[in-house]
Amino acid sequence: MERRTFIAGAAFAAALPIAAKADPVDDARALAERFASTLTAHDMDAFAALFGDDYSNHQVSAAAPPPPATVSPKQGSVGFFKARLAGMPDLKVTIEAVVASADKVAASFVYEGTHSGTYLGVPPTGRKLRFTSCDIFRIKDGKLVEHWGMGDIAGQLAQLKG
């Protein structure tokens, strides 16, 4: 009887680490959700903490030019979103769709807010803005370390100009 109890106990104990392991795909999805929720909460410290120090941004656009050599890509991206929050202090970010693997996550983000501060060089208009971006992130050690994306800059400018 003791032998059966020992074997059953050993089998249960061996299964515990497997059951307790996190699913990397769920972790990737959660990282995209935290990207949206930290921006919605305007918690820039938590937002910055999502990015690895070795973060690389492959997106280059008129709205998000590469930062100067004295500013890291991580600092440049955080600064870009700080400016977005200054332009739309009531910004809310949601996710329309998300696809994830163990080391990548892609999401379609929706940004909604009132243009109450200068944004993209345009003084406040009081207009409600709604625009999207599609972003792909590579993940390493639970951090966003690489980014490719496309944002609807033309749509943003059209809304800003009325």
Side-chain angles (χ1 to χ4, degrees):
M1 184 69 138
E2 289 179 31
R3 183 174 153 207
R4 278 188 241 152
T5 304
F6 174 77
I7 292 171
F12 177 75
L16 280 178
I18 294 169
K21 283 185 180 176
D23 181 352
V25 174
D26 288 342
D27 292 346
R29 281 189 185 101
L31 202 50
E33 290 166 5
R34 285 196 306 277
F35 182 96
S37 67
T38 56
L39 285 173
T40 297
H42 299 208
D43 186 346
M44 293 311 290
D45 290 335
F47 181 73
L50 299 175
F51 298 86
D53 290 333
D54 56 346
Y55 173 75
S56 178
N57 185 4
H58 301 286
Q59 180 179 359
V60 178
S61 73
T70 57
V71 175
S72 73
K74 174 181 176 175
Q75 293 167 325
S77 289
V78 171
F80 173 80
F81 282 97
K82 280 183 181 178
R84 182 170 279 176
L85 287 171
M88 291 172 282
D90 62 345
L91 183 69
K92 178 182 174 194
V93 183
T94 56
I95 297 175
E96 284 184 311
V98 65
V99 178
S101 69
D103 71 337
K104 289 189 181 71
V105 63
S108 175
F109 294 99
V110 177
Y111 298 85
E112 297 176 282
T114 308
H115 181 216
S116 305
T118 300
Y119 180 58
L120 297 177
V122 179
T125 63
R127 292 187 180 101
K128 296 285 186 187
L129 304 179
R130 183 187 189 281
F131 53 92
T132 60
S133 73
C134 290
D135 300 276
I136 302 167
F137 294 99
R138 187 171 66 84
I139 301 165
K140 185 175 93 180
D141 299 328
K143 303 279 187 181
L144 304 173
V145 294
E146 213 166 352
H147 170 256
W148 300 264
M150 292 185 288
D152 183 13
I153 302 303
Q156 291 175 59
L157 292 172
Q159 291 176 66
L160 287 169
K161 294 179 181 180

